[in-house]
Every structure is written in C-alpha cells, then in structure tokens.
Amino acid sequence: MHARGPFPRTPEMLHFEIDLTPRASAAECLRALGFDWVGHGWERPTDGRAFLHPAVYGAEAGEMEAAAAPRFGMGDVVRVLDSPDARELGLVDAEVIVGSPDYDTDTEPQCRTWRYSVHVEGQDETEDLSEGDLEPTGRRVQLYGERISVTRDGVVTGPPSPSGTA
C-alpha cells in the first residue's frame, strides 16, 4: 500500500495505491473484490460498503496480467546491465530505482515480458528498460509517500498521519 497524500479532485480525501497479486486472473480477483467494469476501467461502487478498511468506501482499479509476476517492485534499486537500450541511454552499470512495471498490451498474457520505468539520478523524466536489462542489488528505497499496511482485520500499521489517524 502506498499513501500518495491528498486526492487531487477531492483534497479532503487521501489517495492510496494498493498492489494486489491475485491467485487467479486479475479480472476474477477484481470481481471478487466487488469491482465492475465500467466504460474503460474497473470501479467499485460507492454504495456505503467499506473496501479493505472501514474508512475506504470507493475505489478504482487497473489490472496487469502476465504469466509471471514482475521480478522487480517499486523502489527496488537495480544495476543496469549491458544491452543496446542501456548503451543508447548511457546507463550501463548505473544504479537506478524501479518505478512501475508495464508490458505490451497487444501481446497475449502468457507471452508478456515486463519492462519498467526507472528513475535515474539527476533526471526528471524516467526511462524504460526491459526486465532482462536489470540486475537486483538487494536494496530498496521508499519512492513515493509513507509506507503503511492494513492487517486482515482492517487495522492500519505504519507511520502515523499528522492528524493521528490513517
């Protein structure tokens, strides 16, 4: 779970991102959590029911589905291996921070390979590199916001918010 701070459209509400790894397909997982496919995305109705915690009553979701989970997660520090893309970007042997995973959506899920946006020190923009271009260092940094967790019974753990509530 990643806390992002105030929600842009409704600043009195907090914006959180939650990463889930389903046991079955992403669509089955989202349906089981009460999401509906609406237009071009997954939405969970704000019908008064809580979502994962009593204070959360509405949610939107995106899905990513491939045969294997991404090897790297947000905040992993990785070393860039020698590859044509890494040479073109001037990043061979550089250490970068993994942002978010992505893949070619035109490829069938069982054939998808991961690529990542990576944060390069001294650059405002991220670069994209394939999973095979990256090697783990075993280190991780906090990339966005405070890290918190929610237990199965809805108890929030992690750093307290400035107001003392999560």
Side-chain angles (χ1 to χ4, degrees):
M1 180 177 276
H2 314 279
R4 295 284 193 149
F7 190 67
R9 292 181 300 206
T10 315
E12 64 274 8
M13 299 177 83
L14 292 179
H15 181 185
F16 290 90
E17 289 185 3
I18 302 169
D19 297 326
L20 303 172
T21 303
R23 290 192 182 112
S25 76
E28 289 174 20
C29 175
L30 290 169
R31 275 193 224 78
L33 290 169
F35 285 86
D36 296 319
W37 182 258
V38 179
H40 299 292
W42 292 97
E43 292 182 13
R44 190 166 189 286
T46 55
D47 58 6
R49 293 180 298 147
F51 176 66
L52 299 180
H53 187 275
V56 180
Y57 62 88
E60 295 176 0
E63 67 178 285
M64 300 182 87
E65 190 164 23
R71 181 176 182 197
F72 303 108
M74 187 180 297
D76 284 345
V77 177
V78 296
R79 187 175 71 80
V80 180
L81 301 173
D82 190 0
S83 72
D85 288 339
R87 284 193 297 276
E88 182 179 322
L89 296 169
L91 293 176
V92 175
D93 288 326
E95 287 191 355
V96 296
I97 302 169
V98 172
S100 55
D102 201 1
Y103 50 69
D104 180 7
T105 56
D106 293 334
T107 305
E108 290 296 317
Q110 63 273 18
C111 299
R112 290 178 178 156
T113 57
W114 294 100
R115 65 178 187 272
Y116 301 85
S117 67
V118 296
H119 297 262
V120 181
E121 186 174 350
Q123 287 185 207
D124 291 333
E125 300 293 318
T126 60
E127 303 292 350
D128 284 338
L129 289 169
S130 297
E131 190 166 80
D133 294 343
L134 307 174
E135 176 180 74
T137 65
R139 297 190 326 271
R140 183 177 189 81
V141 297
Q142 181 177 316
L143 193 55
Y144 302 113
E146 296 286 342
R147 302 245 351 143
I148 64 171
S149 296
V150 180
T151 64
R152 289 184 186 272
D153 56 355
V155 175
V156 177
T157 61
S161 67
S163 65
T165 61

